[in-house]
Structure formats: C-alpha cells, structure tokens
Amino acid sequence: MTEQDPVVVAGMAVAAPGGVDTLGGYWAALAESRDLTGPFPRDRGWKIGELLRLGEREGWGNVADAGGFLADAGDFDPAFFGLTPREAVAMDPQQRVGLRVAWRALENAGIDPASLAGAEVGVYMGASHTDYGPHGAEVNEYTGYRATGSAYGAIPGRISHALGLIGPSIHTDTACASSLTAVHLAASAIRAGECEWALAGAVCVLGSPAGFYEFSKANALTPDGRCMPYSAEANGTLWGEGAGVLVLERESRARAEGHRIYGRVLATRVNHNGGGAPIAVPSSAAQERLIRSTLAAAGIPAEYVAMIEGHGTGTAVGDPLELEALTAVYGAGGSAEDGPLLGSVKSNAGHAQAAAGMLGLIKVLLSGLHGAIAPTRYAENPTPDVDWDATSLRLAAKLRPWTPIDGVRYAAVSSFGVAGTNAHAIVAMPALQEDPRG
C-alpha cells in the first residue's frame, strides 16, 4: 500500500558533459540521442601521452582519447558564495560543482536560496574519491585549506554552510550507487521527521585520470571511446562526469507551497551482494532481491513500470548479470509490444560514477515530464546474452510516446557499486503539462 503523503521531487538541476547545464538542454540532448562525450581535457595537467600509451604495456587495455567531461568544471565565482579565491582553488571541484547545482535546483523549485538561513533542511550528497589536489602531508600554498578542501563531508557541508541550513548534512559513498543511496537517505529522513525537506544529489568531477589507469589494467575500458550498454558491440565502459541535485519534500508541503511535482518517490532500497565472488563482481541474485523488495515497498505490480533506467556500463561482466535480474522481474509478464523499455544515459555521457544514478534519475523525471521515453544509443543490435524472444523487456532504441496508467507514469532506476552495494528506486510521475521553468 503506497503512503498517503509521499515524498516528491519538487525541483531539480543538472550538469552533464557536452556543455549541458539546464534541464531543457539535457532533455534535448537525450531526446535527440546526442553523443555528449569528447576528448580528454587539456587544462588539468594530466599526462595525456602516457594515458594513450597504456595499451602498449603487457596486460593493459587501450585507452581512447575520450570521456564525458564537464565543460565548466573549473568555473566558479567564490565571492558569490562568500569564499576567497585561495580557499576556492583548494576545494575539491566536486564541492564547487555540487554547490552551484544545488543553488540552481532550489531556484528551479521556486525557492530563494538566500532565504533559507536557519532552516532545518537536510543535504545528502553522493561522491567518491577522485584524487584532486596536492597531498596534505607537504608544504604548499594551499596548506591550511586542505582539511576542508579535500573532505568529502564538505561536499554537502559547503551547501549547508553557504545556505545556512541546520538540518542533517551527510556525504555518502557507495561508489556508483551513491546517487540513489543519497536519495534513499534523504527520503527516509523526511519520512522519519528528521527534516521537513531536503536536497539530495551527487557529483563526480575527475581530479585525476586514476580511473582510466585502473580500468586499463583491468581491461574494462572501451578501446574506441564508446560506451554501449546492453549492446552486442559493447566492449567496456567509458568514464565521465556530472552532477544532479533534487529538492525532496512531502507532497502536501509541495502543494501548499505551490511547487511543481516532477514525480513521487514511491520506494527506494539499498542492499549488498554479500560474500562469495570478488568484491567488484556484481550479483544478479542480490539485484533481483533488491528489485523485488523495492517493488513490494512501492505497492505496485512490475507491469506498471514502463521505463527502466539501468546501470548499463557496457562491460562484459556487469551488463549480463544486471540483465538477468531485470528480465527476471520486469520482463516476465506482458508482451514485447507493451513491455518496459530499458536504457542507460551512459551511452550518451559516459559513466559518471557516483553521479551516474542521478543523471539517470533526472533523465527518467524529464521523460515523465515530456511524456516520452528517451532513447539509449547503440540499442539497434541488442546483446545476445538475453533471449529477447522470451522476455517482454526491450531496449529503448528511439524516442517513444509514454502512455500513462490512470494519469501516472511509472519508472525504475537501478545502480550498483564496485564495492558491492546495489540501489534501486521506483518513481511515479503525474502526467502534467511541461513546466516552462524546465
């Protein structure tokens, strides 16, 4: 049975590769199935030549000059947020981007960010280590600011501090499940009365190319710079960046305040693979248990879910195991004509790691807003790991109209992290007219 006064999304903002920094721009890129990736940034001091030669080492995979990078990751106005330039440079750019996107999410909800001092508002932000800045155990011009500049608790902390919020301020790192974990924690806190409303989001800005080195050694990077989730041509993942922040509150409060309701958070759940396989190997059984648990908490049948935003990294291990779980739950009933459509924004923008689930969730919410299921790239030739004749699940190969059920569109978002954590969310979106603020 669904709750009578659900937690809803009342505002949101996004930063995605390809210069995308508005909801309208993000939707246009998704609807047009645009490639948002590009070459490595040349202004971060990375050893590009060495990166591109890693494949010459025995046992290492090729690294393409490609990724999903934020065009404005270094842009920041410290004075606007009451910071000195020296302190701003010492701050992990994930703090800067997270702060900037949180401000825009509040504005999207029709809330004046400068009016919130003293409010018991929660802030829950997902982020992982990306190796920014000099080591703390050395003398440099940023010594004295490194403690707060490199602290991951300061990603939500900067938002709370800049806005004067006094509610919970919590960083979460469940690797690539961090986005949905943050939403789970924020929604749970609102339901428990820990805060009246909250900001929930995630951010990923690569302070170094360390992830490319790691996955080159693991031979899990795409050698041609294309992330092709669930495709027969999938040959590895592609790292990316991004950020997204949601404004969450009870539906009664949103209506009383005149806020738009983008969607209801029907249920979120988080679990772990447990032991057995190596820690980085996903578990189909754990993911299936999680999906079934989330559906039970949402109080809807699996057949209601018409859009699934999967994790979909394009890797030889991850995608087949995820598809096994998804087809077992969402592809077991109905027919191919009316079955759910599956995709992954990683095909557009690369794998934004801790922020990947947030980019996917905002994709779902915008699809609901516009009444159309956004396509996933490289879906024309689905992987042979699935018997597509035996499941109603299909890849979203093109932009498709989305017919609501009794005025509501239902969708699911799935994420799992390299340390074994899985997260799943089910949202319901009222079929309303497009918001001019989008």
Side-chain angles (χ1 to χ4, degrees):
M1 193 71 182
T2 55
E3 57 186 328
Q4 295 301 308
D5 191 11
V7 174
V8 301
V9 178
M12 55 186 181
V14 68
V20 173
D21 62 0
T22 67
L23 296 175
Y26 189 45
W27 171 250
L30 296 172
E32 296 167 11
S33 196
R34 229 183 281 162
D35 182 5
L36 300 177
T37 63
F40 287 128
R42 263 56 179 181
D43 59 353
R44 301 189 188 182
W46 293 2
K47 298 177 181 178
I48 305 294
E50 181 178 271
L51 268 171
L52 300 180
R53 292 192 300 271
L54 288 178
E56 299 172 7
R57 296 169 178 260
E58 185 176 355
W60 293 58
N62 289 329
V63 178
D65 188 2
F69 302 105
L70 294 180
D72 59 353
D75 295 346
F76 188 67
D77 183 357
F80 182 83
F81 293 104
L83 297 162
T84 66
R86 179 166 168 252
E87 183 174 7
V89 172
M91 290 164 53
D92 187 321
Q94 297 184 125
Q95 295 182 28
R96 297 180 240 151
V97 172
L99 182 54
R100 194 169 64 220
V101 176
W103 188 279
R104 293 206 311 264
L106 290 166
E107 290 181 326
N108 179 260
I111 299 169
D112 178 5
S115 69
L116 298 176
E120 291 191 17
V121 177
V123 181
Y124 297 81
M125 291 292 290
S128 297
H129 177 68
T130 60
D131 213 22
Y132 175 74
H135 293 292
E138 65 182 38
V139 177
N140 58 66
E141 60 183 306
Y142 304 113
T143 301
Y145 287 117
R146 292 292 295 144
T148 53
S150 61
Y152 291 94
I155 294 172
R158 290 285 182 187
I159 298 169
S160 298
H161 182 262
L163 301 176
L165 308 178
I166 60 173
S169 189
I170 296 175
H171 161 250
T172 181
D173 182 1
T174 51
C176 303
S178 296
S179 291
L180 298 188
T181 303
V183 173
H184 175 71
L185 293 174
S188 298
I190 293 169
R191 293 186 181 107
E194 296 177 30
C195 51
E196 188 175 14
W197 58 282
L199 295 170
V203 59
C204 175
V205 182
L206 299 178
S208 87
F212 289 91
Y213 283 81
E214 284 290 306
F215 268 52
S216 169
K217 179 60 176 171
N219 284 279
L221 279 179
T222 170
D224 56 14
R226 296 184 299 161
C227 184
M228 297 180 280
Y230 316 124
S231 169
E233 302 168 73
N235 56 9
T237 200
L238 180 71
W239 293 131
E241 301 176 328
V245 176
L246 308 179
V247 177
L248 300 181
E249 61 188 352
R250 289 281 192 179
E251 184 167 340
S252 59
R253 185 181 192 279
R255 295 191 181 280
E257 296 290 331
H259 297 160
R260 164 172 285 282
I261 296 174
Y262 286 101
R264 302 181 182 103
V265 182
L266 294 189
T268 56
R269 288 292 184 271
V270 178
N271 77 356
H272 194 272
N273 295 334
I279 191 170
V281 176
S283 167
S284 178
Q287 290 178 40
E288 183 178 341
R289 285 196 302 272
L290 180 67
I291 295 169
R292 294 191 186 281
S293 172
T294 313
L295 274 169
I300 63 168
E303 291 77 19
Y304 277 24
V305 175
M307 178 180 182
I308 302 169
E309 175 66 10
H311 191 61
T313 59
T315 56
V317 175
D319 281 12
L321 290 171
E322 181 187 10
L323 285 167
E324 185 177 329
L326 291 174
T327 54
V329 181
Y330 290 116
S335 64
E337 289 71 30
D338 59 9
L341 294 174
L342 168 67
S344 172
V345 72
K346 295 176 184 68
S347 67
N348 304 88
H351 186 356
Q353 301 164 72
M358 190 56 60
L359 293 184
L361 178 52
I362 293 175
K363 170 188 171 182
V364 163
L365 293 166
L366 289 174
S367 291
L369 177 65
H370 290 273
I373 296 176
T376 193
R377 291 167 61 82
Y378 314 113
E380 297 79 8
N381 187 17
T383 174
D385 291 320
V386 170
D387 182 358
W388 296 102
D389 292 330
T391 177
S392 61
L393 191 68
R394 289 293 179 270
L395 298 187
K398 61 182 180 179
L399 187 69
R400 297 278 295 273
W402 189 352
T403 303
I405 299 174
D406 296 328
V408 180
R409 298 182 175 99
Y410 298 91
V413 185
S414 196
S415 292
F416 52 89
V418 72
T421 299
N422 309 295
H424 199 71
I426 296 176
V427 293
M429 291 145 287
L432 301 174
Q433 292 183 349
E434 182 179 348
D435 184 355
R437 292 175 297 182

